Coordinates of all heavy atoms in Angstrom, one line a residue:
M1172 N 106.3 70.5 64.2 CA 107.4 70.5 65.1 C 108.6 71.1 64.4 O 109.1 70.5 63.4 CB 107.6 69.1 65.7 CG 108.8 69.0 66.6 SD 108.9 67.3 67.2 CE 110.1 67.6 68.4
F1173 N 109.1 72.2 65.0 CA 110.2 72.9 64.3 C 110.1 73.2 62.8 O 111.0 73.1 62.0 CB 111.5 72.0 64.5 CG 111.9 71.7 65.9 CD1 111.8 70.5 66.4 CD2 112.5 72.7 66.7 CE1 112.1 70.2 67.8 CE2 112.8 72.5 67.9 CZ 112.6 71.2 68.5
D1174 N 108.9 73.6 62.5 CA 108.5 73.8 61.1 C 109.5 74.7 60.3 O 109.8 74.4 59.2 CB 107.1 74.4 61.0 CG 106.1 73.3 61.3 OD1 106.3 72.2 61.3 OD2 105.0 73.9 61.7
D1175 N 109.9 75.8 61.0 CA 110.8 76.7 60.3 C 112.3 76.5 60.5 O 113.2 77.3 60.1 CB 110.5 78.2 60.8 CG 109.1 78.6 60.4 OD1 108.5 78.1 59.4 OD2 108.5 79.4 61.1
H1176 N 112.7 75.3 61.1 CA 114.0 75.1 61.5 C 114.6 73.8 61.0 O 115.4 73.2 61.5 CB 114.2 75.2 63.0 CG 113.7 76.5 63.6 ND1 114.4 77.6 63.5 CD2 112.5 76.7 64.2 CE1 113.7 78.6 64.0 NE2 112.6 78.1 64.5
S1177 N 114.1 73.4 59.8 CA 114.5 72.1 59.2 C 116.1 72.0 59.0 O 116.6 71.0 59.2 CB 113.7 71.9 57.9 OG 112.4 71.5 58.3
D1178 N 116.7 73.1 58.5 CA 118.1 73.1 58.2 C 118.9 72.9 59.6 O 119.8 72.0 59.6 CB 118.6 74.5 57.6 CG 118.1 74.6 56.2 OD1 117.9 73.6 55.5 OD2 118.0 75.8 55.8
S1179 N 118.5 73.6 60.6 CA 119.2 73.4 61.8 C 119.0 72.1 62.5 O 119.8 71.4 63.0 CB 118.7 74.5 62.8 OG 119.0 75.8 62.4
L1180 N 117.7 71.6 62.4 CA 117.4 70.3 63.0 C 118.1 69.1 62.1 O 118.5 68.1 62.8 CB 115.9 70.0 62.9 CG 115.5 68.8 63.7 CD1 115.9 68.9 65.2 CD2 114.0 68.6 63.7
R1181 N 118.2 69.3 60.9 CA 119.0 68.3 60.1 C 120.3 68.3 60.5 O 120.9 67.2 60.7 CB 118.9 68.7 58.6 CG 119.6 67.9 57.7 CD 119.7 68.2 56.3 NE 120.2 67.2 55.4 CZ 120.7 67.5 54.1 NH1 120.8 68.7 53.7 NH2 121.2 66.5 53.5
D1182 N 121.1 69.5 60.8 CA 122.4 69.3 61.3 C 122.5 68.7 62.6 O 123.4 68.0 62.9 CB 122.9 70.8 61.4 CG 123.2 71.5 60.0 OD1 123.3 70.8 59.1 OD2 123.2 72.7 60.1
I1183 N 121.5 69.0 63.5 CA 121.5 68.3 64.8 C 121.4 66.8 64.7 O 122.0 66.1 65.4 CB 120.4 69.0 65.8 CG1 120.9 70.5 66.1 CG2 120.3 68.3 67.0 CD1 119.8 71.2 66.7
A1184 N 120.4 66.5 63.9 CA 120.1 65.0 63.8 C 121.2 64.2 63.2 O 121.6 63.1 63.6 CB 118.9 64.8 62.8
R1185 N 122.0 64.9 62.3 CA 123.3 64.3 61.8 C 124.4 64.3 62.8 O 125.0 63.2 63.0 CB 123.7 65.0 60.5 CG 122.7 64.7 59.4 CD 123.3 65.2 58.0 NE 123.7 66.6 58.1 CZ 124.0 67.3 57.0 NH1 123.8 66.8 55.8 NH2 124.4 68.6 57.1
S1186 N 124.6 65.3 63.5 CA 125.7 65.4 64.4 C 125.4 64.5 65.8 O 126.4 64.1 66.4 CB 126.0 66.8 64.9 OG 125.0 67.4 65.6
H1187 N 124.2 64.3 66.0 CA 123.8 63.5 67.2 C 123.4 62.0 66.8 O 123.0 61.3 67.6 CB 122.8 64.1 67.9 CG 123.2 65.3 68.8 ND1 123.3 66.5 68.3 CD2 123.6 65.4 70.0 CE1 123.8 67.4 69.1 NE2 123.9 66.7 70.2
H1188 N 123.8 61.7 65.6 CA 123.6 60.3 65.0 C 122.1 59.8 65.1 O 122.0 58.6 65.4 CB 124.6 59.4 65.7 CG 126.0 59.9 65.6 ND1 126.7 60.0 64.4 CD2 126.8 60.4 66.6 CE1 127.9 60.4 64.7 NE2 128.0 60.8 65.9
L1189 N 121.2 60.6 64.9 CA 119.8 60.2 64.9 C 119.4 59.5 63.6 O 118.6 58.7 63.5 CB 118.8 61.3 65.1 CG 118.8 62.1 66.5 CD1 117.8 63.2 66.5 CD2 118.5 61.0 67.7
V1190 N 120.2 59.9 62.6 CA 120.0 59.4 61.1 C 121.4 59.0 60.5 O 122.3 59.5 60.9 CB 119.3 60.5 60.2 CG1 117.9 60.8 60.7 CG2 120.2 61.6 60.1
S1191 N 121.2 58.0 59.7 CA 122.4 57.6 58.8 C 122.4 58.6 57.7 O 121.5 59.4 57.3 CB 122.2 56.1 58.4 OG 121.2 56.1 57.4
E1192 N 123.5 58.6 56.9 CA 123.6 59.4 55.7 C 122.6 59.1 54.7 O 122.0 60.0 54.1 CB 125.0 59.2 55.1 CG 126.1 59.9 55.8 CD 127.5 59.8 55.2 OE1 127.5 59.8 53.9 OE2 128.4 59.7 55.9
V1193 N 122.2 57.8 54.6 CA 121.2 57.4 53.5 C 119.8 57.9 54.0 O 119.1 58.4 53.2 CB 121.2 55.9 53.4 CG1 120.0 55.4 52.6 CG2 122.4 55.4 52.8
Q1194 N 119.5 57.7 55.3 CA 118.3 58.2 55.9 C 118.1 59.7 55.7 O 117.1 60.2 55.3 CB 118.1 57.8 57.3 CG 117.9 56.2 57.5 CD 118.1 55.9 59.0 OE1 118.9 56.6 59.8 NE2 117.3 55.0 59.4
D1195 N 119.2 60.4 56.1 CA 119.2 61.8 55.9 C 118.9 62.3 54.5 O 118.1 63.2 54.3 CB 120.5 62.4 56.4 CG 120.6 63.9 56.2 OD1 119.8 64.7 56.6 OD2 121.6 64.3 55.4
A1196 N 119.5 61.7 53.5 CA 119.4 62.1 52.1 C 118.0 61.9 51.7 O 117.3 62.7 51.1 CB 120.3 61.3 51.2
E1197 N 117.4 60.7 52.1 CA 116.0 60.4 51.8 C 115.0 61.4 52.4 O 114.1 61.9 51.7 CB 115.6 59.0 52.1 CG 116.3 58.0 51.3 CD 116.1 56.5 51.8 OE1 115.2 56.3 52.8 OE2 116.6 55.6 51.3
L1198 N 115.3 61.7 53.7 CA 114.4 62.6 54.5 C 114.4 64.0 53.9 O 113.4 64.7 53.7 CB 114.7 62.6 55.9 CG 114.4 61.4 56.8 CD1 115.0 61.4 58.2 CD2 112.9 61.1 56.8
W1199 N 115.7 64.4 53.5 CA 115.9 65.7 53.0 C 115.2 65.9 51.6 O 114.6 66.9 51.4 CB 117.3 66.2 53.0 CG 117.6 67.6 52.7 CD1 118.1 68.3 51.6 CD2 117.1 68.7 53.7 NE1 118.0 69.6 51.8 CE2 117.5 69.9 53.1 CE3 116.7 68.7 55.0 CZ2 117.3 71.2 53.6 CZ3 116.4 69.9 55.5 CH2 116.8 71.1 54.9
E1200 N 115.3 64.9 50.8 CA 114.6 65.0 49.5 C 113.1 65.1 49.7 O 112.5 65.9 49.0 CB 115.1 63.8 48.7 CG 114.5 63.8 47.3 CD 114.9 62.5 46.5 OE1 116.1 62.2 46.6 OE2 114.1 62.1 45.7
N1201 N 112.6 64.3 50.7 CA 111.2 64.3 51.0 C 110.7 65.7 51.5 O 109.7 66.2 51.1 CB 110.8 63.2 52.0 CG 109.4 63.0 52.1 OD1 108.6 63.8 51.7 ND2 109.0 61.7 52.6
H1202 N 111.6 66.2 52.4 CA 111.4 67.6 52.9 C 111.3 68.6 51.7 O 110.4 69.4 51.8 CB 112.5 68.0 53.9 CG 112.5 69.5 54.2 ND1 111.5 70.1 54.9 CD2 113.3 70.4 53.9 CE1 111.8 71.4 54.9 NE2 112.9 71.6 54.3
L1203 N 112.2 68.5 51.0 CA 112.2 69.6 49.8 C 111.1 69.4 48.8 O 110.5 70.4 48.4 CB 113.5 69.4 49.0 CG 114.8 69.9 49.8 CD1 116.0 69.6 49.0 CD2 114.8 71.3 50.3
S1204 N 110.7 68.2 48.6 CA 109.5 67.9 47.6 C 108.2 68.1 48.3 O 107.3 68.5 47.7 CB 109.7 66.6 47.0 OG 109.5 65.5 48.0
S1205 N 108.0 67.8 49.6 CA 106.7 67.9 50.2 C 106.5 69.1 51.0 O 105.4 69.5 51.3 CB 106.5 66.6 51.1 OG 107.4 66.8 52.3
G1206 N 107.6 69.8 51.4 CA 107.4 70.9 52.4 C 107.2 70.6 53.9 O 107.1 71.4 54.6
K1207 N 107.2 69.3 54.0 CA 107.0 68.8 55.4 C 108.2 69.1 56.3 O 109.3 68.8 55.7 CB 106.6 67.4 55.5 CG 105.9 66.8 56.7 CD 105.5 65.4 56.5 CE 104.5 65.1 57.7 NZ 104.0 63.8 57.5
S1208 N 108.0 69.4 57.5 CA 109.2 69.6 58.3 C 110.1 68.4 58.5 O 109.6 67.3 58.5 CB 108.9 70.2 59.7 OG 108.4 69.2 60.5
Y1209 N 111.4 68.6 58.6 CA 112.3 67.5 58.8 C 112.0 66.8 60.0 O 112.1 65.5 60.1 CB 113.8 68.1 58.8 CG 114.8 67.1 58.7 CD1 115.2 66.5 57.5 CD2 115.5 66.6 59.9 CE1 116.3 65.6 57.4 CE2 116.5 65.6 59.8 CZ 116.9 65.1 58.6 OH 118.0 64.2 58.5
A1210 N 111.6 67.4 61.2 CA 111.3 66.8 62.4 C 110.1 65.9 62.2 O 110.1 64.8 62.7 CB 111.0 67.9 63.5
D1211 N 109.0 66.4 61.5 CA 108.0 65.5 61.3 C 108.2 64.3 60.5 O 107.7 63.1 60.7 CB 106.8 66.3 60.6 CG 106.1 67.3 61.6 OD1 106.3 67.1 62.8 OD2 105.5 68.2 61.2
L1212 N 109.1 64.5 59.6 CA 109.6 63.3 58.7 C 110.3 62.4 59.6 O 110.1 61.1 59.4 CB 110.4 63.8 57.5 CG 109.6 64.7 56.5 CD1 110.5 65.2 55.5 CD2 108.6 63.7 55.7
L1213 N 111.2 62.8 60.4 CA 111.9 61.9 61.3 C 110.9 61.1 62.1 O 111.1 59.8 62.3 CB 112.7 62.6 62.3 CG 114.1 63.2 61.9 CD1 114.7 64.1 62.9 CD2 115.1 62.0 61.6
V1214 N 109.9 61.7 62.7 CA 108.9 61.0 63.5 C 108.0 60.0 62.6 O 107.8 58.9 63.0 CB 108.0 62.0 64.3 CG1 106.9 61.3 64.9 CG2 108.8 62.8 65.3
D1215 N 107.5 60.6 61.5 CA 106.7 59.8 60.7 C 107.4 58.5 60.1 O 106.7 57.5 59.9 CB 106.1 60.7 59.5 CG 105.2 61.7 59.9 OD1 104.7 61.7 61.2 OD2 104.9 62.6 59.1
S1216 N 108.6 58.6 59.8 CA 109.4 57.5 59.3 C 109.6 56.5 60.4 O 110.1 55.4 60.1 CB 110.6 58.0 58.6 OG 111.5 58.6 59.7
G1217 N 109.6 56.9 61.7 CA 109.9 56.0 62.8 C 111.4 56.0 63.1 O 111.9 55.2 63.9
I1218 N 112.2 56.8 62.5 CA 113.6 56.9 62.8 C 113.8 57.5 64.2 O 114.7 57.0 64.9 CB 114.3 57.8 61.7 CG1 114.3 57.1 60.4 CG2 115.8 58.1 62.1 CD1 114.6 57.9 59.2
A1219 N 113.1 58.5 64.6 CA 113.2 59.1 65.9 C 111.9 59.5 66.5 O 111.0 59.9 65.6 CB 114.1 60.2 65.9
D1220 N 111.7 59.4 67.8 CA 110.5 59.9 68.3 C 110.7 61.4 68.8 O 111.9 61.9 68.9 CB 109.9 59.0 69.4 CG 110.9 58.9 70.6 OD1 111.9 59.6 70.8 OD2 110.6 57.9 71.4
R1221 N 109.7 62.0 69.2 CA 109.8 63.4 69.6 C 110.8 63.6 70.9 O 111.6 64.5 70.8 CB 108.4 64.0 70.0 CG 107.6 64.3 68.7 CD 106.2 64.9 69.1 NE 105.5 64.9 67.8 CZ 105.4 66.1 67.1 NH1 106.1 67.1 67.5 NH2 104.7 66.1 66.0
P1222 N 110.6 62.8 71.9 CA 111.6 63.0 72.9 C 113.1 62.8 72.5 O 114.0 63.6 73.0 CB 111.2 61.9 74.0 CG 109.8 61.6 73.7 CD 109.7 61.8 72.2
A1223 N 113.4 62.0 71.6 CA 114.8 61.8 71.1 C 115.2 63.0 70.4 O 116.4 63.5 70.5 CB 114.9 60.6 70.3
I1224 N 114.3 63.5 69.5 CA 114.6 64.8 68.9 C 114.8 66.0 69.8 O 115.8 66.8 69.7 CB 113.5 65.2 67.8 CG1 113.5 64.0 66.7 CG2 113.8 66.5 67.3 CD1 112.2 64.1 65.9
L1225 N 113.9 66.1 70.8 CA 114.1 67.2 71.7 C 115.3 67.1 72.6 O 116.0 68.0 73.0 CB 112.8 67.3 72.6 CG 111.5 67.7 71.9 CD1 110.3 67.5 72.7 CD2 111.6 69.1 71.3
Q1226 N 115.6 65.8 73.0 CA 116.9 65.5 73.8 C 118.1 66.0 72.9 O 119.0 66.6 73.4 CB 117.0 64.1 74.1 CG 118.4 63.9 74.9 CD 118.2 64.5 76.2 OE1 117.4 64.2 77.1 NE2 119.2 65.4 76.5
A1227 N 118.1 65.7 71.6 CA 119.3 66.1 70.7 C 119.4 67.6 70.6 O 120.4 68.2 70.7 CB 119.1 65.4 69.4
V1228 N 118.2 68.3 70.5 CA 118.2 69.8 70.4 C 118.7 70.4 71.8 O 119.5 71.2 71.7 CB 116.8 70.2 70.1 CG1 116.8 71.8 70.2 CG2 116.4 69.9 68.7
A1229 N 118.3 69.8 72.8 CA 118.7 70.3 74.1 C 120.2 70.1 74.3 O 120.9 71.0 74.8 CB 118.0 69.6 75.3
D1230 N 120.7 68.9 73.9 CA 122.2 68.6 74.0 C 122.9 69.6 73.1 O 123.9 70.1 73.5 CB 122.5 67.2 73.5 CG 121.9 66.1 74.5 OD1 121.6 66.5 75.7 OD2 121.9 65.0 74.1
A1231 N 122.4 69.9 72.0 CA 123.1 70.9 71.1 C 123.2 72.2 71.7 O 124.1 72.9 71.5 CB 122.4 70.8 69.7
L1232 N 122.1 72.6 72.4 CA 122.0 73.9 72.9 C 122.7 74.0 74.4 O 122.8 75.1 74.9 CB 120.5 74.4 73.1 CG 119.8 74.6 71.7 CD1 118.3 74.8 72.1 CD2 120.3 75.7 71.0
G1233 N 123.0 72.9 74.8 CA 123.7 72.8 76.2 C 122.7 73.1 77.3 O 123.1 73.7 78.3
V1234 N 121.4 72.6 77.2 CA 120.4 72.8 78.2 C 119.9 71.5 78.6 O 119.9 70.6 77.7 CB 119.3 73.8 77.8 CG1 119.8 75.3 77.5 CG2 118.6 73.4 76.6
P1235 N 119.3 71.4 79.8 CA 118.7 70.1 80.1 C 117.4 69.8 79.4 O 116.7 70.8 79.1 CB 118.5 70.1 81.7 CG 118.6 71.7 82.0 CD 119.3 72.3 80.9
F1236 N 117.0 68.6 79.3 CA 115.8 68.2 78.7 C 115.1 67.3 79.7 O 115.7 66.4 80.2 CB 115.9 67.5 77.5 CG 114.8 66.9 76.9 CD1 113.7 67.6 76.4 CD2 114.5 65.5 77.0 CE1 112.5 67.0 75.9 CE2 113.4 64.8 76.5 CZ 112.3 65.6 76.0
Y1237 N 113.8 67.7 80.0 CA 113.1 66.9 80.9 C 111.9 66.2 80.0 O 111.1 67.0 79.5 CB 112.4 67.7 81.9 CG 113.4 68.4 82.8 CD1 113.9 69.6 82.6 CD2 114.0 67.7 84.0 CE1 114.9 70.2 83.4 CE2 114.9 68.3 84.7 CZ 115.4 69.6 84.4 OH 116.4 70.2 85.3
A1238 N 111.8 65.0 79.9 CA 110.7 64.3 79.2 C 109.3 64.4 79.8 O 108.4 64.5 79.2 CB 111.0 62.8 79.0
A1239 N 109.4 64.6 81.1 CA 108.1 64.9 81.9 C 108.3 66.1 82.6 O 109.4 66.5 83.1 CB 107.9 63.7 82.9
V1240 N 107.3 66.9 82.7 CA 107.3 68.1 83.5 C 107.4 67.8 85.0 O 106.7 66.9 85.5 CB 106.0 69.0 83.2 CG1 106.0 70.3 84.0 CG2 106.0 69.3 81.7
P1241 N 108.3 68.5 85.7 CA 108.4 68.4 87.2 C 107.0 68.6 87.8 O 106.2 69.4 87.3 CB 109.4 69.3 87.6 CG 110.2 69.7 86.4 CD 109.3 69.4 85.3
S1242 N 106.8 67.9 89.0 CA 105.4 68.2 89.6 C 105.2 69.5 90.1 O 104.1 70.0 90.1 CB 105.4 67.2 90.8 OG 106.4 67.4 91.7
E1243 N 106.3 70.3 90.4 CA 106.2 71.7 90.8 C 107.1 72.5 90.1 O 108.3 72.2 90.0 CB 106.4 71.9 92.3 CG 105.4 71.2 93.1 CD 105.5 71.5 94.7 OE1 106.0 72.6 95.0 OE2 105.1 70.7 95.5
V1244 N 106.7 73.6 89.6 CA 107.5 74.6 88.9 C 107.2 76.0 89.4 O 106.0 76.4 89.5 CB 107.2 74.6 87.3 CG1 108.0 75.6 86.6 CG2 107.5 73.2 86.7
D1245 N 108.2 76.7 89.7 CA 108.2 78.1 90.3 C 107.4 78.9 89.3 O 107.9 79.1 88.1 CB 109.4 78.5 90.7 CG 109.5 79.9 91.3 OD1 108.5 80.7 91.2 OD2 110.5 80.4 91.7
P1246 N 106.2 79.5 89.7 CA 105.6 80.4 88.7 C 106.4 81.6 88.2 O 106.3 81.9 87.0 CB 104.4 81.0 89.4 CG 104.2 80.0 90.6 CD 105.6 79.4 90.9
E1247 N 107.4 82.1 89.0 CA 108.2 83.2 88.6 C 109.1 82.7 87.3 O 109.4 83.4 86.4 CB 109.1 83.7 89.7 CG 108.4 84.5 90.7 CD 107.7 85.8 90.0 OE1 108.5 86.4 89.2 OE2 106.6 86.1 90.3
V1248 N 109.5 81.4 87.4 CA 110.5 80.9 86.4 C 109.6 80.6 85.1 O 110.2 80.9 84.0 CB 111.0 79.5 86.8 CG1 111.9 78.8 85.7 CG2 112.0 79.8 88.1
T1249 N 108.4 80.3 85.2 CA 107.6 80.1 84.0 C 107.4 81.3 83.2 O 107.1 81.2 82.0 CB 106.3 79.5 84.3 OG1 105.5 80.2 85.1 CG2 106.5 78.1 85.0
R1250 N 107.5 82.5 83.9 CA 107.3 83.7 83.2 C 108.6 84.1 82.3 O 108.4 85.2 81.6 CB 107.1 84.8 84.2 CG 105.6 84.7 84.8 CD 105.4 85.8 85.8 NE 104.1 85.5 86.4 CZ 104.1 85.2 87.8 NH1 105.2 85.1 88.5 NH2 102.9 84.9 88.4
A1251 N 109.7 83.4 82.3 CA 110.8 83.5 81.5 C 110.4 83.5 80.0 O 111.1 84.1 79.2 CB 111.8 82.6 81.9
L1252 N 109.5 82.8 79.6 CA 109.0 82.6 78.3 C 107.5 83.1 78.1 O 106.8 82.8 78.9 CB 109.1 81.2 77.7 CG 110.4 80.5 77.4 CD1 110.3 79.0 76.9 CD2 111.2 81.3 76.4
K1253 N 107.3 83.7 77.0 CA 106.0 83.9 76.7 C 105.3 82.7 76.4 O 105.8 81.8 75.8 CB 105.9 85.0 75.5 CG 106.5 86.3 75.9 CD 106.5 87.2 74.6 CE 107.2 88.6 74.9 NZ 107.4 89.4 73.7
P1254 N 103.9 82.6 76.5 CA 103.2 81.4 76.2 C 103.4 81.0 74.8 O 103.5 79.7 74.5 CB 101.7 81.7 76.5 CG 101.9 82.7 77.6 CD 103.1 83.6 77.2
A1255 N 103.3 81.9 73.8 CA 103.5 81.5 72.5 C 104.9 80.9 72.2 O 105.0 79.9 71.4 CB 103.4 82.7 71.6
Q1256 N 105.9 81.4 72.9 CA 107.3 80.8 72.7 C 107.3 79.4 73.3 O 107.9 78.4 72.7 CB 108.3 81.7 73.4 CG 108.5 83.0 72.8 CD 109.4 83.9 73.7 OE1 109.2 84.0 74.9 NE2 110.3 84.5 73.0
A1257 N 106.7 79.2 74.5 CA 106.8 77.9 75.1 C 106.1 76.9 74.3 O 106.5 75.8 74.0 CB 106.1 78.0 76.4
H1258 N 105.0 77.4 73.7 CA 104.1 76.4 72.8 C 104.9 76.1 71.5 O 105.1 74.9 71.0 CB 102.8 77.0 72.5 CG 101.9 76.2 71.5 ND1 101.3 75.0 71.9 CD2 101.7 76.3 70.3 CE1 100.7 74.4 71.0 NE2 100.9 75.3 69.9
S1259 N 105.5 77.1 70.9 CA 106.2 76.9 69.6 C 107.4 76.0 69.8 O 107.8 75.2 69.0 CB 106.6 78.3 69.2 OG 107.5 78.2 68.0
Y1260 N 108.1 76.2 70.9 CA 109.3 75.4 71.1 C 109.2 74.2 72.0 O 110.1 73.5 72.3 CB 110.5 76.3 71.7 CG 110.9 77.4 70.6 CD1 110.5 78.7 70.9 CD2 111.6 77.0 69.4 CE1 110.9 79.7 69.9 CE2 112.0 78.0 68.6 CZ 111.6 79.3 68.8 OH 111.9 80.3 67.9
L1261 N 107.9 74.0 72.5 CA 107.7 72.9 73.3 C 108.6 73.0 74.6 O 109.2 72.0 75.0 CB 107.8 71.5 72.7 CG 106.9 71.3 71.4 CD1 107.3 70.0 70.8 CD2 105.5 71.3 71.8
A1262 N 108.7 74.2 75.1 CA 109.7 74.4 76.1 C 108.9 74.9 77.4 O 107.9 75.6 77.3 CB 110.8 75.4 75.8
L1263 N 109.5 74.6 78.5 CA 109.0 75.1 79.8 C 110.2 75.3 80.7 O 110.9 74.3 81.2 CB 108.0 74.1 80.5 CG 107.6 74.4 81.9 CD1 106.7 75.7 81.9 CD2 106.8 73.4 82.6
P1264 N 110.5 76.5 81.1 CA 111.6 76.8 82.0 C 111.2 76.1 83.4 O 110.1 76.3 83.9 CB 111.7 78.2 82.2 CG 110.7 78.8 81.2 CD 109.9 77.8 80.7
V1265 N 112.1 75.5 84.0 CA 111.9 74.7 85.2 C 112.7 75.3 86.4 O 112.6 74.9 87.5 CB 111.8 73.2 85.1 CG1 110.8 72.7 84.2 CG2 113.3 72.8 84.7
A1266 N 113.9 75.9 86.0 CA 114.8 76.5 87.0 C 115.6 77.7 86.5 O 115.7 77.8 85.3 CB 115.7 75.4 87.5
E1267 N 116.1 78.5 87.3 CA 116.8 79.6 87.0 C 118.3 79.2 86.7 O 118.8 78.3 87.2 CB 116.8 80.7 87.9 CG 115.4 81.4 87.9 CD 115.4 82.6 88.8 OE1 116.0 83.7 88.4 OE2 114.7 82.5 89.9

């Protein structure tokens, strides 16, 4: 999850108070030594779950986050992202 974006996710986690300074320092050291993504370390440590991380990212980007996919999504809207992008970012456009 967010494998290539650990720096950005770290900034978001700190600015949205998902981690304390101590937790952040420990996670970052672990990230640097293990190569594991910061997001995966947040989840593995129990500090934050995926929906909390995704909500913080959405807030930082100024876009809505839906923990559950709406029951109906306009097929035209879903074409806004390529399938690989949607998978990579765990994103699904739901409205224009």
Side-chain angles (χ1 to χ4, degrees):
M1172 179 177 186
F1173 299 109
D1174 290 340
D1175 297 332
H1176 304 285
S1177 289
D1178 290 333
S1179 299
L1180 189 59
R1181 181 185 188 201
D1182 292 339
I1183 291 169
R1185 292 188 307 193
S1186 67
H1187 286 80
H1188 308 290
L1189 292 179
V1190 293
S1191 69
E1192 287 184 33
V1193 171
Q1194 290 170 322
D1195 172 59
E1197 290 174 5
L1198 289 173
W1199 193 248
E1200 184 177 323
N1201 193 341
H1202 162 69
L1203 294 175
S1204 65
S1205 71
K1207 195 167 189 178
S1208 78
Y1209 191 83
D1211 287 339
L1212 292 169
L1213 278 170
V1214 172
D1215 292 349
S1216 67
I1218 293 172
D1220 60 12
R1221 288 178 183 270
I1224 295 168
L1225 294 170
Q1226 181 66 64
V1228 170
D1230 290 346
L1232 295 173
V1234 297
F1236 167 72
Y1237 299 94
V1240 176
S1242 60
E1243 290 187 32
V1244 178
D1245 181 349
E1247 287 298 317
V1248 173
T1249 62
R1250 292 186 187 104
L1252 284 179
K1253 295 177 183 173
Q1256 291 171 316
H1258 179 74
S1259 176
Y1260 295 106
L1261 302 174
L1263 173 67
V1265 295
E1267 291 186 72

